[in-house]
Amino acid sequence: REWRMMVVPDSAKDPSALLRRLTNEAEPLANRLSSAALLCAALPTAVGRAFADASTDELLGTLEWLLYGERVPPALQAHARALVAAAGAALRSHPSRFIRWAVGVDGRAASAVYPALLDLLGTARASEWAGELEPRLVSTLDRLLRWALDPARSPAQASRQLASALRSIPPQLWRAAGSFGPQALLSLAVEMQGEA
């Protein structure tokens, strides 16, 4: 049996080139889809993490375009969740930048973004993201809780991810959140009563 070694061009390993190809509407869709898959593989590497750190705005802007763009082909949009997860992992050394972006995402993109946000909150050191989340803690927890408890919008493991993220929130943030817990329970009870 003859084994052939596949040679991957350097541009296929360059996250910047992959990002440009992904967003280039003149590129054939097959090339753009391939770029999305290659970018998912490239971001967790050392080169990908360095790119994500140096070009965070460009990377997050592309993800936003992918999530909300009106002219984004559905086949390409299908890669959004994997790309968001790869970007979150690549930005793990500077999680506050990803968190700042992710908490601003609205409901229709939540399913692609919230799992990566929860993963980052559950695995990164709280000291690296607590300052970014503190002023938005109540509104962020409210959105995450509503998303995780809605089986139509969230994956099955969302509740477990949310529980892990909630355990990682430092006590000083819980104190700053004041009466969030009781208010959230009351709000959920009122909503459930209204649906019954």
Side-chain angles (χ1 to χ4, degrees):
R1 202 185 272 196
E2 181 181 307
W3 292 95
R4 294 182 191 183
M5 185 173 169
M6 185 174 141
V7 177
V8 179
D10 286 340
S11 64
K13 299 174 189 172
D14 174 18
S16 182
L18 292 169
L19 213 55
R20 283 192 305 277
R21 195 173 311 127
L22 173 73
T23 58
N24 184 352
E25 292 181 11
E27 282 282 337
L29 181 58
N31 291 356
R32 295 171 78 189
L33 293 171
S34 174
S35 294
L38 289 168
L39 186 58
C40 280
L43 284 173
T45 67
V47 170
R49 289 189 306 272
F51 167 77
D53 283 342
S55 304
T56 303
D57 291 341
E58 180 184 4
L59 177 60
L60 296 178
T62 298
L63 293 176
E64 204 159 305
W65 165 82
L66 192 60
L67 292 166
Y68 299 113
E70 292 178 16
R71 296 175 46 159
V72 179
L76 195 56
Q77 243 175 357
H79 287 271
R81 185 177 184 151
L83 282 166
V84 168
L91 290 167
R92 193 171 308 278
S93 63
H94 302 289
S96 63
R97 297 189 298 186
F98 182 81
I99 290 168
R100 185 178 322 121
W101 174 79
V103 298
V105 168
D106 75 10
R108 76 178 197 177
S111 290
V113 175
Y114 288 176
L117 174 60
L118 289 172
D119 182 54
L120 197 58
L121 292 175
T123 58
R125 289 189 317 232
S127 62
E128 296 176 339
W129 54 259
E132 186 59 47
L133 194 58
E134 185 172 5
R136 303 176 183 94
L137 183 64
V138 171
S139 63
T140 301
L141 289 178
D142 183 57
R143 285 191 308 203
L144 288 171
L145 185 61
R146 290 175 191 280
W147 170 79
L149 294 176
D150 182 354
R153 296 187 313 167
S154 64
Q157 74 273 14
S159 295
R160 286 188 300 279
Q161 280 185 295
L162 180 60
S164 175
L166 292 176
R167 281 192 301 274
S168 70
I169 295 175
Q172 71 269 20
L173 287 187
W174 283 117
R175 283 190 292 278
S179 60
F180 169 75
Q183 287 174 345
L185 288 175
L186 179 61
S187 177
L188 287 170
V190 168
E191 284 182 25
M192 290 170 67
Q193 194 174 35
E195 292 176 6

